[in-house]
Amino acid sequence: MKQILLFLICTFLFFNSNSQVTQINANKSLQGVVQLNNTLAIFNSGVDSSIWVSDGSKNGTIQISDTIKYIGGGGLLNGKYIFKGKSPNCGNEIFITNGTKAGTTIIKDINPGVANSQPRATIMEVVNGYVYFAAVTAAEGCELSRTDGTSGNTSLVKDIGLLATSGIDSSHFSLSQIGN
């Protein structure tokens, strides 16, 4: 019980005390996104949506991508953070990071080219080893998809609407895990 209480207090302090991190990164207005592991946390800049990682020290606070911008929530899966991001090469898609520059990449260009697959107003949820999310393609419209963090296992769950008719309202879609 004491460990749970300590964890909750540390988590609260972590996400509500970004002033030190803001000072050590030239005032990029960093906001906590997720604690990646015991020593690293992911942040995004309120100024330019850049993605940062920090161990809480000046030298340990670095921008982990020059091109990928953070656009929304995600899910922590197997020690990696899967999130909605934007890149000039592919538009809004699903990205993954392990907290390093080399480990921050697109998972799959779901809607090929610069067309967006990720609607901004949707939520992602981790369930049974997958991150579930809404994705848009020209062929299916906006439908439920999932990923385990690999391109090969990123796919449409089911085409609910007929053909290009969306089965999901991309402006009001959210997921919640209830039980198993």
Side-chain angles (χ1 to χ4, degrees), residues 107-108 110 130-133 135 143-148 150-158:
I107 294 174
K108 183 176 183 177
I110 297 168
Y130 285 91
V131 174
Y132 287 82
F133 57 94
E143 299 290 353
L144 182 63
S145 295
R146 73 180 191 174
T147 185
D148 69 353
T150 64
S151 179
N153 286 325
T154 301
S155 62
L156 175 73
V157 172
K158 181 167 178 76

Side-chain angles (χ1 to χ4, degrees), residues 58-79:
K58 182 175 182 176
N59 291 335
T61 302
I62 59 167
Q63 186 174 342
I64 56 177
S65 178
D66 296 329
T67 58
I68 301 168
K69 302 297 181 183
Y70 181 80
I71 62 169
L76 194 58
L77 185 66
N78 301 323

